[in-house]
Structure formats: C-alpha cells, structure tokens
Amino acid sequence: MKEKTSMKNRGDQLASRSVISQKWTLLLCIGSFCAGLLFTNRMWTVSDSKLITRPTAIESEGLKLVSEGCDLRKLQMKNVKRDSKQIFGEVSKTHQAIQTLDKTISSLEMELAAARSIQESIVNGSPISEEDTRSAPERRKYLMVVGVNTAFSSRKRRDSVRATWMPQGEKRRKLEEEKGIIMRFVIGHSATVGGILDRAIEAEDRKHGDFLRLDHVEGYLELSAKTKTYFATAVTMWDAEFYIKVDDDVHVNIATLGHTLVRHRKKKRVYIGCMKSGPVLAQKGVRYHEPEYWKFGESGNKYFRHATGQLYAISKDLATYISLNQHVLHKYANEDVSLGSWFIGLDVEHIDDRRLCCGTPPDCEWKAQAGNICVASFDWTCSGICRSVDRIKEVHRRCGEGENAVWSATF
C-alpha cells in the first residue's frame, strides 16, 4: 500500500516538472522569436539605409518637375533641345573655321602660283629687257602696272600718248620709284620672228625703254590670247596691287586712276571697269561677231556683265589666277568678253565705275569743272578717241588732271 502511494507521488512530481518544462520552453521560444524579429528589423533598416543614395541633379529636377505637375517627357524634350543647340553651335563654329582655312589655303595657292611663275620665268627665260630681268627677282611692291595695248602700226598713237599722259625718261623712272606706278606699251612679235616689224619695235624700245614684249603672235583676232599673256607676264615681273589694261587711243589721268584703285585695295578679288552687257552677234561678217554665239542661249541673248575693253583693272589675286590657269582659260572672239568669262564662276566683286569711260570734251570737261575728274576718256562711236593722234592733245588740255597731280598724290 505504502509502495503504491510512493509511486503515485513520484508520478505527480514528474508530471509537475513536465508542465513547468513546457512553460519555460514556450516562453523561451517566444523570447527567441521576439529577439529574432527585433534583430531582423534592425538589419533590414540598416541595409535599406545603405542602399539609399543621393539623387542626381537631373533626377532631382525631374522629381521637382513631377511634383509641380510637369511631365518627364517635357524634361527629356528640354534636354534634347539644349543638346541640339549645343551641337548646332559646334557645327557652326566648325563651318566658320573651315571657311577661314579654305580662304587661307586659296591665298597661299595664289602666292605659290606667283612664286612658281617667277621661278619658271627665271629658269626658262622671259621676254623682257635685261634691266627688268635683274629687278624681277627682288619683287618690290608696286601700286599698279598699266599696260597700254598697242600694235605694230600704231607708232603715231604711241608718240601721242608719250606726249600727253605717259611720263617719259627720268620722269617715268621717278614715277616707278616714288609712286610705285609701272607704265609700259604691250606688244608681242610678228609671225616672222626677227623681221622688219620686230626690228622696228626693238629700235623704238632702245630709244624710249617703255615696252613690255610678250611671247605672243600679234593679230586682231588674237586679242584675247594677248590679254591673257599680258596679265600672266606682268604678274611674274612686278608684284603690284592692281594690273590695268588700256588701249593706246584712250586718254588716262594717272593720279585719278590711282586714287580710284586705292579705295578697293583691301578687297581680295576685284574687277573694276565700266560694266556692260552687249548683244551676242551671231551674224557673220559684222564687227564683234561671236562664232560661239550658241553657247549664250537663244538668238538675241546678251552677254553676261563684263567691263568694256577700253580700260579695266584687276587685283593681284585675279592676275595670279590667270597666270596659273592660262592654258585652260577659254578665249572668245572679243577680249573683254573673254576676261569677264574667266571670272564668271569665281568669287569676284565687280566694280562698275563710270569715270573709267567718260566721253571726250565737252563731257569730261564738264565733269572736271564740277570736281569729278574722269579716269579715262574716249568716244564710244570709235571705241577710242576718234582720230586720237590729232585730238588727244586737245583732250589732255581740256580734261587732264594737271601735270603735277600725280607728283602730289599720296596713294
């Protein structure tokens, strides 16, 4: 009996310990769970804080715009416009730089062509006098070269020019040294080189020393070729700002010509004269007939604008261009048309100055009295001064600028 009671008490004690153990286990589990939960939340918070970074300026601007009711698409368009402006600005700067470089290269090519022409002239020989050959390599700077176009049969015309507006002897040399103005009669050679015509010109040159001899066969139908050869030769001999061609039956005021040209000396490529646009004459047998009339369009068309042939001037760059490209420049029947055609596709400024084509008295006389002295005077009906040998002295007396004008001029 006592043994049964003892077994019962032992079972109650074991049951009581089992209940207590279960309670502690439950409490321990709950405590562990809470501790784990607390630890996990703390780690999660730390991880999130590490992952959060400061927004960029663009993102901040986007958030601001969104908060103000704007659209991200508008922001993107704004950025695109801003980038486009920057790109166009860079493209514009690049384009300007390329244009500047292109102009620089063009100028260097012109100078190189002139230097090459000088070298070829020295190596191969040039149709100039010994005195000019010695001075050519020095390349002194001149204001202008005035080439007076003449022919074998025009001795009296040349003498009339020498007696009026072209200084002679020591005065002509002084004009070159002090004023930088070169003046020469321009002529080639006859079909029979060394014949009587050539010998007559050589004798005249020994007396006056005022010729520029060209490697060119003289002939009325060869005026375009002569003009091309003149500019190509002159630019290799003299380094001038301007090159002028004038006929030997035209009266010229040299000082007024110089003052007219210096107003354009800062311009790179200028073509100065009395600009016109005459009809293209297709009919054979008439004066100024154009065999290549079909190139100018339908019958009755006019030429492009070009300077009249009595007197015109071109800048150094254009003379160098002719020298460089003389073998491929096309020649039309009329030399003034030919010259204009050589510049038609170039960036050339055409200067239309009507003082380069005044009439003979009383026209040039009235203008001189009004203080507007003419550069050149001639008669349109004769394409020069009619009977110039007899009349040029009268024109010089009534329309001339005065003998001292060129010596007192400052260019």
Side-chain angles (χ1 to χ4, degrees), residues 35-204:
L37 184 62
L38 178 63
F39 179 77
T40 304
N41 288 340
R42 179 174 179 81
M43 292 300 294
W44 182 265
T45 304
V46 171
S47 300
D48 287 345
S49 66
K50 291 182 178 180
L51 289 174
I52 296 174
T53 57
R54 180 174 294 178
T56 62
I58 295 177
E59 290 171 343
S60 298
E61 186 178 358
L63 292 172
K64 182 179 179 181
L65 290 174
V66 171
S67 66
E68 293 176 355
C70 295
D71 193 334
L72 280 176
R73 181 177 297 176
K74 293 182 180 179
L75 174 62
Q76 294 173 352
M77 291 299 294
K78 181 179 179 181
N79 290 334
V80 169
K81 290 180 180 178
R82 181 173 59 195
D83 293 342
S84 298
K85 289 181 180 179
Q86 292 176 350
I87 292 172
F88 284 129
E90 293 298 326
V91 170
S92 178
K93 291 179 181 178
T94 303
H95 183 64
Q96 292 175 358
I98 292 174
Q99 286 183 327
T100 302
L101 182 60
D102 184 57
K103 290 180 180 179
T104 303
I105 293 173
S106 177
S107 298
L108 291 174
E109 287 178 344
M110 291 289 189
E111 294 177 6
L112 179 61
R116 187 184 298 117
S117 298
I118 295 169
Q119 184 179 13
E120 291 177 356
S121 177
I122 296 171
V123 173
N124 300 327
S126 179
I128 57 179
S129 65
E130 183 179 352
E131 178 184 356
D132 290 330
T133 304
R134 289 196 300 268
S135 62
E138 297 177 4
R139 301 299 288 176
R140 177 198 156 172
K141 300 290 184 180
Y142 293 94
L143 171 63
M144 60 181 174
V145 175
V146 181
V148 184
N149 187 41
T150 191
F152 289 115
S153 60
S154 299
R155 172 63 187 265
K156 291 184 178 181
R157 284 188 180 181
R158 291 191 292 274
D159 286 339
S160 68
V161 170
R162 292 182 180 117
T164 53
W165 58 269
M166 179 189 284
Q168 291 297 296
E170 187 60 32
K171 288 184 178 181
R172 182 172 59 82
R173 285 185 287 273
K174 183 180 178 182
L175 191 66
E176 296 177 7
E177 293 296 324
E178 296 184 5
K179 303 300 179 180
I181 299 175
I182 304 293
M183 304 180 70
R184 296 288 190 276
F185 287 104
V186 180
I187 196 168
H189 57 80
S190 64
T192 306
V193 180
I196 187 172
L197 296 177
D198 292 317
R199 292 198 300 271
I201 293 296
E202 291 168 2
E204 189 178 346

Side-chain angles (χ1 to χ4, degrees), residues 379-397:
D379 300 307
W380 285 102
T381 55
C382 299
S383 298
I385 298 176
C386 297
R387 304 190 323 276
S388 64
V389 173
D390 301 325
R391 295 180 59 233
I392 194 169
K393 288 185 178 180
E394 179 68 13
V395 174
H396 183 66
R397 183 181 66 82

Side-chain angles (χ1 to χ4, degrees), residues 204-398:
E204 189 178 346
D205 192 22
R206 284 193 295 270
K207 179 179 179 180
H208 298 282
D210 55 3
F211 277 92
L212 170 61
R213 302 298 304 275
L214 303 178
D215 185 13
H216 165 79
V217 178
E218 286 290 323
Y220 178 76
L221 298 179
E222 298 298 328
L223 289 178
S224 294
K226 183 177 181 179
T227 300
K228 181 167 60 174
T229 304
Y230 158 63
F231 284 120
T233 304
V235 78
T236 62
M237 292 175 56
W238 299 290
D239 184 8
E241 295 182 66
F242 298 96
Y243 297 84
I244 297 93
K245 176 263 177 182
V246 58
D247 288 339
D248 61 4
D249 56 352
V250 173
H251 180 268
V252 180
N253 285 317
I254 295 299
T256 306
L257 174 61
H259 288 307
T260 300
L261 295 179
V262 295
R263 293 204 301 266
H264 308 289
R265 71 191 328 167
K266 292 184 179 180
K267 301 173 183 177
K268 275 289 187 181
R269 291 170 290 275
V270 289
Y271 172 33
I272 307 170
C274 291
M275 300 295 165
K276 66 174 184 178
S277 180
V280 181
L281 302 179
Q283 184 179 355
K284 292 182 179 180
V286 299
R287 191 179 186 185
Y288 306 128
H289 165 64
E290 179 57 71
E292 296 182 271
Y293 62 90
W294 58 273
K295 288 185 177 180
F296 297 91
E298 301 299 327
S299 178
N301 280 1
K302 292 185 176 181
Y303 288 113
F304 40 78
R305 301 292 286 182
H306 61 279
T308 184
Q310 284 81 2
L311 186 149
Y312 47 72
I314 62 175
S315 57
K316 177 184 175 181
D317 278 4
L318 295 183
T320 305
Y321 172 81
I322 293 174
S323 177
L324 180 63
N325 299 282
Q326 58 181 309
H327 301 298
V328 295
L329 294 177
H330 186 70
K331 302 183 296 294
Y332 290 102
N334 303 300
E335 54 99 7
D336 52 355
V337 172
S338 295
L339 184 73
S341 71
W342 300 337
F343 305 147
I344 199 68
L346 304 181
D347 185 14
V348 175
E349 183 175 354
H350 290 55
I351 306 295
D352 184 16
D353 193 331
R354 309 315 289 184
R355 292 182 303 162
L356 273 66
C357 55
C358 295
T360 54
D363 180 41
C364 60
E365 189 175 25
W366 291 340
K367 292 177 180 177
Q369 292 173 356
N372 188 23
I373 300 176
C374 293
V375 173
S377 301
F378 57 89
D379 300 307
W380 285 102
T381 55
C382 299
S383 298
I385 298 176
C386 297
R387 304 190 323 276
S388 64
V389 173
D390 301 325
R391 295 180 59 233
I392 194 169
K393 288 185 178 180
E394 179 68 13
V395 174
H396 183 66
R397 183 181 66 82
R398 297 173 62 179

